[in-house]
Amino acid sequence: PAPCGAAFSIVMEGGNAIVITISLCMIVRDEEPVLARCLESVRGIPDEIIIVDTGSLDRTKTVAAAYTDQVYDFPWVDDFALARNYSFSKASMDYILWLDADDVLEEPDRQAFLRLKEELDPRTDMVMMPYHVAFNEKGEPVFSYERERLLKREKGFRWEGAVHEAIQPAGVILH
């Protein structure tokens, strides 16, 4: 995912900028080969990392434990939305970022996301970001669409759909 470049700078009385906090919520299963790469790519962005394992048989949970002590088991019941909602229920920060284990933030996008974290108007409920789903032989995205990637926790957004799960966009949305 690549963050949006548009953001707002909010300054409180006394000149102190509001910096949002972020919970990274992930559901994983047998992601040992890619999980560390994903988590390294977002270093410095989340204030807490929540990993929900749905039944890994490899060392996924060991890899996750190197990044967070918030690793939870959730029995797989053929419903991605249920697992994602469980991960969201563990979040405690202002906003929730969700990623899949094979997602990677390139360094320029990581820097842009760090700026977004410092500049996001806290009245924003949802940030839509590009979701790259197809790549050419050079690894460049050739098909993308926007997804709901960063969500205000207090709004109680819920995943819907057992497969091809999504969150209905609502509230103040930044594209």
Side-chain angles (χ1 to χ4, degrees):
C4 302
F8 302 93
S9 182
I10 299 296
V11 178
M12 298 173 57
E13 278 188 46
N16 297 323
I18 297 171
V19 178
I20 64 166
T21 59
I22 297 175
S23 300
L24 170 60
C25 292
M26 301 178 69
I27 61 171
V28 297
R29 182 176 187 166
D30 295 328
E31 300 287 3
E32 179 184 359
V34 295
L35 183 57
R37 180 186 68 179
C38 173
L39 293 172
E40 284 297 323
S41 80
V42 296
R43 71 191 177 285
I45 293 172
D47 298 283
E48 74 177 349
I49 299 173
I50 294 145
I51 307 285
V52 171
D53 188 275
T54 61
S56 292
L57 301 175
D58 64 3
R59 297 181 61 253
T60 296
K61 288 173 27 175
T62 303
V63 173
Y67 292 88
T68 182
D69 60 356
Q70 294 191 67
V71 180
Y72 303 94
D73 290 312
F74 185 83
W76 183 242
V77 292
D78 295 323
D79 191 320
F80 286 94
L82 279 178
R84 288 200 192 276
N85 286 331
Y86 179 75
S87 74
F88 276 28
S89 77
K90 301 297 185 184
S92 66
M93 299 294 144
D94 301 329
Y95 285 82
I96 299 172
L97 167 67
W98 67 271
L99 294 174
D100 292 327
D102 60 349
D103 288 333
V104 175
L105 223 58
E106 299 295 335
E107 185 58 25
D109 296 327
R110 190 180 81 78
Q111 292 300 322
F113 206 117
L114 288 168
R115 285 190 304 278
L116 178 70
K117 185 176 175 178
E118 292 179 355
E119 299 172 356
L120 184 66
D121 183 333
R123 295 171 292 193
T124 302
D125 298 320
M126 177 180 288
V127 179
M128 304 291 284
M129 297 182 183
Y131 187 69
H132 306 307
V133 294
F135 302 86
N136 65 18
E137 59 281 345
K138 296 177 185 174
E140 301 163 332
V142 294
F143 181 70
S144 300
Y145 57 92
E146 285 193 328
R147 289 291 313 257
E148 64 298 296
R149 279 294 189 172
L150 190 64
L151 310 148
K152 186 176 273 186
R153 184 181 56 84
E154 72 180 25
K155 292 295 182 177
F157 288 107
R158 305 274 301 159
W159 291 92
E160 298 174 5
V163 180
H164 304 297
E165 71 283 9
I167 293 174
Q168 181 68 39
V172 178
I173 302 172
L174 178 64
H175 292 269

